[in-house]
Amino acid sequence: MSIKVIEHEFIKISKFTDIKKKVISREDAEILHNLEIEKNLSMFKWGKNKVSPQQWIGVISLKNTSLEILPKIADSCNEQELMTSLIFMINTVYGLNIKHSIKSKSSLLQNGFFELLINIFLDELNLQLNQGLHKEYKKNTSNLNCIKGFIVFNKHLHKNLFNKNKFYCKYSTLTDDYLLNQIIKTTLVHISRFNISNKTKSKVKVQLDRLENISVINDAASFIDKLSFNRNNDRFKNSIHYCELFLNNIGSSLNSGSCKINSFLIDMNKLFEQFIYKSYKKIYKHNVIYQNQNNYLLTNCSKPQIHKINLKPDIMIKKASSQVIIIDTKWKVLNKFVNSSDIYQMNGYITGISNVEDIILLFPKNVNNDKIIDDFFVKNNSSNKIKIRTINLLEVGTYKFYSDLQDIIK
């Protein structure tokens, strides 16, 4: 059993954990505090005997329970709607080809979206491993009793000048203990450390047994870009995308006394930003640029080749007129108006980037955010508008969603 909360929802802190009342122990609260220190991030809002998660969603295995944090996608929606929208966003950002219906896995909803993702991954992996482990040729060099492959003569003469019974050879062997399988096994090992249901643990173990002879590697996420796919191993591409999702967001184990604490956390700021970018990319193709870094706010007066303060807008959309629309995504629930720092940032884009037509601050749709939808211009500059807009994330993947994205930049 785990405690499920929505972003910004307060969790009470008391002497003992009470799952039904959403209360965590002081010992578990200390774990959350240590997690913030480890990641050097402000992940929670702390109050007197209460704590509230901010922008980070996922699961944290505490000492006495697990804490599952879900995103505040809308003011009100059922868990299935929330899961469907969230997984569609993750699917889009990580390039996951999730064909499984959430309805078909509704029995897993009570265990949370992390376990739902794990089961989708396991089903996909099982499908591929049923066809057999993929093997690759591995290059080897060794001093052998017989010739295998071909002799490396400079090494052979150096090592075997007085030993006629040895041959220093370079040869290839077919092996399943290579990078692709190592990344998959490492991912499964990380997942197995979480507090997941016995049924899911059994499914993980089945796949680990299949990979019994495969090595586990350190920092597996950094090796994913080194993989190359061809017609022989392309069927594992989807499984590797899942591995990337898990490896990028599973934190290193945190020691709390004698207990190992694991976490799988996604920054909703980044997920929302990348999801909106990839959604616009689907509509406008090559006219969409992500985090362009070629613009600066300041230029040195005597040395114009020197620039300072790099401007990096989230999304730039080029129009046929050569003007650009800038979209800056904000994963925030507003109580009043947008933060003044956000407006200063937008004004910097107007000043430092050429041919800007409009700038759009884009928020997820909810009652509070909808109240501030409007158009503004900066004093003494009415040619560029700063527009505040929202988008309904419960409609992701629908025709209306993509239609609304296009309306936003009109």
Side-chain angles (χ1 to χ4, degrees):
M1 290 288 289
S2 64
I3 297 174
K4 287 186 184 180
V5 295
I6 303 291
E7 280 180 292
H8 312 294
E9 180 181 352
F10 275 107
I11 309 158
K12 292 180 181 179
I13 302 171
S14 188
K15 190 173 182 180
F16 300 106
T17 298
D18 189 324
I19 293 172
K20 289 183 178 179
K21 293 181 179 179
K22 298 186 179 182
V23 177
I24 61 171
S25 67
R26 292 188 179 92
E27 191 176 18
D28 284 341
E30 185 65 24
I31 290 169
L32 297 181
H33 179 63
N34 289 338
L35 189 64
E36 284 189 306
I37 294 171
E38 182 199 36
K39 291 184 175 291
N40 194 28
L41 293 167
S42 179
M43 301 167 64
F44 303 95
K45 183 178 180 180
W46 296 87
K48 186 177 181 181
N49 294 324
K50 60 183 181 180
V51 61
S52 171
Q54 309 288 303
Q55 90 184 42
W56 291 84
I57 65 154
V59 63
I60 304 167
S61 62
L62 303 175
K63 194 162 188 178
N64 301 306
T65 184
S66 291
L67 179 63
E68 176 116 27
I69 308 165
L70 298 173
K72 188 173 176 59
I73 281 177
D75 296 290
S76 62
C77 61
N78 62 46
E79 197 165 344
Q80 186 169 298
E81 287 179 311
L82 191 154
M83 295 288 193
T84 301
S85 295
L86 177 59
I87 288 183
F88 187 91
M89 291 172 69
I90 292 171
N91 176 22
T92 301
V93 170
Y94 280 89
L96 304 175
N97 185 22
I98 298 178
K99 297 176 182 177
H100 310 273
S101 167
I102 302 304
K103 289 182 180 179
S104 69
K105 297 187 178 296
S106 57
S107 62
L108 293 167
L109 290 180
Q110 62 182 0
N111 297 326
F113 91 95
F114 177 57
E115 193 150 338
L116 183 63
L117 279 174
I118 292 171
N119 275 272
I120 294 172
F121 166 55
L122 292 174
D123 288 349
E124 170 65 24
L125 182 60
N126 186 62
L127 187 68
Q128 303 310 325
L129 292 183
N130 280 345
Q131 300 176 50
L133 273 172
H134 182 68
K135 298 183 179 184
E136 289 277 332
Y137 280 99
K138 182 180 178 181
K139 292 181 179 179
N140 301 278
T141 53
S142 186
N143 214 20
L144 305 173
N145 293 322
C146 60
I147 297 174
K148 191 174 183 179
F150 60 89
I151 298 172
V152 184
F153 282 100
N154 58 338
K155 293 275 188 179
H156 173 70
L157 293 173
H158 177 72
K159 288 183 173 290
N160 302 318
L161 185 61
F162 303 106
N163 187 353
K164 295 182 180 180
N165 297 319
K166 289 283 188 179
F167 305 90
Y168 196 88
C169 299
K170 188 172 185 178
Y171 58 96
S172 295
T173 54
L174 192 63
T175 180
D176 53 20
D177 190 17
Y178 83 109
L179 189 57
L180 186 146
N181 292 330
Q182 290 166 354
I183 288 171
I184 292 172
K185 182 170 181 178
T186 303
T187 304
L188 289 168
V189 168
H190 281 300
I191 289 170
S192 69
R193 293 170 180 161
F194 279 83
N195 181 23
I196 52 181
S197 69
N198 290 332
K199 186 176 180 180
T200 302
K201 276 187 181 291
S202 295
K203 290 174 72 173
V204 173
K205 187 178 183 306
V206 167
Q207 304 310 328
L208 280 172
D209 288 344
R210 285 175 151 183
L211 300 167
E212 183 181 6
N213 299 319
I214 309 301
S215 305
V216 173
I217 56 176
N218 294 322
D219 197 21
S222 65
F223 291 100
I224 290 176
D225 287 341
K226 296 180 180 179
L227 284 175
S228 58
F229 290 94
N230 51 52
R231 64 180 183 177
N232 295 319
N233 66 358
D234 194 66
R235 62 191 176 92
F236 283 97
K237 187 178 284 186
N238 212 34
S239 297
I240 292 298
H241 285 320
Y242 282 102
C243 292
E244 184 180 11
L245 166 66
F246 289 118
L247 293 172
N248 282 345
N249 295 292
I250 289 177
S252 56
S253 294
L254 176 69
N255 285 312
S256 179
S258 60
C259 185
K260 283 270 189 182
I261 307 301
N262 296 290
S263 63
F264 171 82
L265 293 165
I266 296 174
D267 184 348
M268 283 303 297
N269 267 331
K270 289 184 179 178
L271 185 70
F272 181 51
E273 173 188 297
Q274 292 172 1
F275 172 68
I276 295 299
Y277 159 68
K278 294 205 171 183
S279 297
Y280 271 116
K281 191 80 174 174
K282 185 175 180 178
I283 301 169
Y284 297 111
K285 309 296 190 246
H286 61 277
N287 291 321
V288 183
I289 303 170
Y290 181 63
Q291 292 190 343
N292 184 288
Q293 300 185 50
N294 298 325
N295 299 285
Y296 294 86
L297 188 60
L298 300 178
T299 299
N300 189 289
C301 292
S302 57
K303 298 177 181 178
Q305 73 275 16
I306 297 177
H307 305 287
K308 298 291 182 181
I309 306 182
N310 184 222
L311 300 171
K312 192 169 69 174
D314 293 344
I315 302 162
M316 292 176 65
I317 300 177
K318 294 179 182 178
K319 299 187 74 176
S321 61
S322 79
Q323 290 189 304
V324 295
I325 303 287
I326 290 176
I327 300 172
D328 214 67
T329 59
K330 302 292 180 185
W331 184 262
K332 293 179 182 178
V333 176
L334 301 174
N335 293 320
K336 295 179 182 178
F337 192 62
V338 298
N339 293 342
S340 56
S341 58
D342 290 334
I343 298 299
Y344 297 149
Q345 183 185 5
M346 300 309 105
N347 191 37
Y349 292 158
I350 291 172
T351 305
I353 300 176
S354 303
N355 301 322
V356 173
E357 182 178 295
D358 291 319
I359 290 182
I360 296 160
L361 278 169
L362 186 60
F363 296 84
K365 182 181 180 68
N366 61 56
V367 172
N368 288 334
N369 290 354
D370 268 354
K371 292 176 182 177
I372 59 164
I373 291 176
D374 216 332
D375 296 355
F376 301 87
F377 64 84
V378 179
K379 189 176 180 181
N380 300 325
N381 180 9
S382 60
S383 58
N384 302 107
K385 292 189 184 73
I386 295 177
K387 299 179 178 181
I388 300 172
R389 297 290 185 268
T390 64
I391 188 73
N392 189 351
L393 295 177
L394 289 181
E395 296 174 342
V396 294
T398 65
Y399 174 82
K400 187 177 186 308
F401 176 78
Y402 293 111
S403 178
D404 286 347
L405 283 180
Q406 293 176 74
D407 289 341
I408 282 168
I409 67 169
K410 286 182 180 176

